[in-house]
Amino acid sequence: MTTAPISGSSITGAGPNGSPAEHGFAMLTEQPKVDPAAAGLIGADDAVRLRAVPYAFEGDDVLLVAMHDPSDFASADELSGVSGRAVERRGVTQDLYDSLLRTAYGATAAQMAQRLGGGAPDEDELINNLQAVDADDVQRMAEQPTLINLVNLIILEAIKERASDIHVEPFEKSLSVKYRVDGLLRQRNSPPKALQPAITSRIKIMAGMNIAERYVPQDGHITLRFEGRKVDIRVSTVPTIYGESVVMRLLDKEAVKLDLVALGFRTQDQVNIQRLIDLPHGMVLVTGPTGSGKTTTLYAALTKLYDPSLKIITIEDPVEYELTGVNQIPVNPERGLSFASGLRSILRQDPDVVMVGEIRDNETADIAVRAALTGHLIFSTLHTNDAAGAIGRLLDMDVEPFLVASVLEGILAQRLGRKLCQNCKKPAPLGETVRHRLTAREQALFTNGMGYVPGGCDKCDNSGYKSRLGFFEVLMTTPAMRQGITERRTAAYEILATADAAHVTMRHDGLIKASQGQTTVDEVLRATQDTEGLTPSSAKSGS
C-alpha cells in the first residue's frame, strides 16, 4: 500500500525512540483533511476508547486511520470489523490526535478523551458551539454533535465508574449530575444550566420517549454497547418545578456476577440454597427493600439451577438481564398483562420452574402458592424487613395458613453494604460506641477487639470502598415452623424460636464478614439497622 501524503498532510518514517515509526508505522506530522464519511464509520465514544480517528479513504477498500498507538492490533482489528474495510494505520502524537478528534467529532469528543485522561472539560467551548442553534428549538439542539457527545460522555463515565444509576436533577440555577456508586450518590462535574432542556431531550430521544411531553412522567429504554458488551439502560423522567428530573438505571449484565460465591454467600448458605433449588416443587421467597439485590440473587439461583431438561419461565417488571435458556416475560399492564394474569398463562405452558418478579397482591399470592402446591418450584420476592416477616405478609394477603405451611420451603432476606477496598483497608480497634451496640457473642467475632476501617487509594477513587457485598439470612422451614404457621404463631420471635440451630441473621452474617475484613462494622449496622432485635438464640431462650 502507498504512503503518499493525503490532502496536505505530511508523513515521515522517522520518529523518537519508542515511537510508532520505530515499530514500522508511518507518522503523521501535520493534520490531514478529515473526510466526514470516513470519520462517520465509527462513533465518537469508540474513537476515544480506541484512540483512533478514521480520516480518509485510499481507493475503495482501505480506510486510513490515525492512531495514538498504531501497534494496537486489537483496536485495528475492531476498526476493520466495524468499518468493513482494510485499515492502514498512521501514528500521531497526543496533540495531533486531540486535534483530529476535535475536527472529526466536535469539541466534546476531545473533552471526553481529556476527562478519561484526567483533564477537565472546556464548558465554555461547548456552549459556544451550540450558540448558533436557537435555544427554543430543543430538538435541533439535542441533535447537535457536541450535545450528543456530552450525553455519551455522561453515560460512558458512569459505566466506567461502575455506577448503578445516573441522576440528572434540575434546580433553579443549576443542573446536577450524580452517579450512584456502591449505593451512595456521588456529585460529578455538572453541565451548564443553559443546556438542561437539550440534555433532557437528547436522553429522551435515545430512550424513544416523547420529547414534546414535559409534564407527565415517562419511561423508556436505551441499549448500547460498551467495550464489546451490551448495556441496557432504563430511563425514567418526572416533572419538577424546574424541569424534568431524569434517572437512568444502568443494567450491565457482564459487570454483575450471577454467582452465589461472588455475591458473598457463606459456605453454609450456599449449601442451604442448593438444597432449595434441588427441590422438585415448593416456594422459595427472597425479601428485602428496593435496591437490596433480590432480583440479582434470584437470577444467580436460576443460573445455578438451569438445566436443558427443565422448562424455566419468569415474569418480571421489567426484565433486567437476559438469561440463557430461560423464557422471560415482561409485565405489560397497559395490555392487560399483570403478574396475576401472566402467572395464570405461564402455568398453561407446562413449566418446571417459575420465577415471579414480585408478589404484590392477594391474587398473585394465591396463584403462586397453589402453583407450588401442584408440582411447580416457585421463586418470588416480597418487601419485608427480615425473613420471618415474609410469613406474616403472606397471611395478610389472605393466603390460608395451612397452604403456606405446606409449600414454603425457605426464605432468604438480604441487604447490601459497601465492600472495603482490599488494597487500602486498615485494621483498627472497635470504638466504644460500636462495642455498646454489639452483644457479647458478636464482640467475640473480633479477635483482640480489632476490626477494619477504610483507607483510600487510586483503586477505589480514595473512597476506601470498592463494590458492594451482600448480608444474608437464609431461613429454612422446619417441621416445628410449619406447625407454628398452621396455628398462626407467626410473630418474628416465634418463627425464630423454631428455626434451625445453625440459623444466622443478616446482622450476624454481616459482622462475620466485617471480622474478616470484607467490610466495616459501621457499614453492617447501617445496612441492617431495621432488623435489629431478637437473635435465634435469644428467641429460643425467651430473653
Side-chain angles (χ1 to χ4, degrees), residues 307-330:
D307 185 287
S309 65
L310 295 175
K311 174 82 168 183
I312 305 175
I313 307 180
T314 74
I315 180 163
E316 308 171 55
D317 184 20
V319 173
E320 295 192 6
Y321 302 109
E322 296 177 11
L323 300 178
T324 302
V326 177
N327 296 276
Q328 295 173 270
I329 303 170

Side-chain angles (χ1 to χ4, degrees), residues 64-196:
L64 298 179
V65 180
M67 296 185 68
H68 190 267
D69 178 12
S71 63
D72 184 349
F73 293 98
S75 293
D77 287 343
E78 184 173 341
L79 284 166
S80 180
V82 171
S83 65
R85 290 172 169 79
V87 168
E88 186 164 329
R89 291 162 272 175
R90 304 280 191 262
V92 289
T93 63
Q94 180 65 53
D95 288 344
L96 187 50
Y97 165 75
D98 289 342
S99 180
L100 278 168
L101 195 65
R102 188 181 302 273
T103 301
Y105 298 104
T108 309
Q111 293 165 18
M112 189 187 304
Q114 290 173 8
R115 196 179 276 193
L116 292 178
D122 184 354
E123 292 179 345
D124 291 337
E125 188 167 1
L126 174 61
I127 296 174
N128 291 337
N129 287 334
L130 292 170
Q131 280 181 342
V133 181
D134 183 354
D136 291 331
D137 190 346
V138 175
Q139 180 156 358
R140 283 189 61 210
M141 265 187 100
E143 292 174 349
Q144 294 301 300
T146 48
L147 198 288
I148 291 172
N149 290 337
L150 174 60
V151 174
N152 289 347
L153 170 60
I154 291 171
I155 297 173
L156 175 67
E157 281 193 324
I159 295 172
K160 292 179 76 70
E161 291 191 27
R162 303 174 294 103
S164 60
D165 302 86
I166 303 170
H167 292 245
V168 182
E169 302 173 332
F171 298 102
E172 183 179 9
K173 297 180 180 179
S174 65
L175 180 66
S176 172
V177 174
K178 300 176 183 176
Y179 299 158
R180 187 176 295 280
V181 181
D182 297 337
L184 299 179
L185 287 175
R186 297 181 183 178
Q187 182 75 48
R188 286 295 173 258
N189 292 334
S190 298
K193 174 71 173 176
L195 298 182
Q196 175 188 322

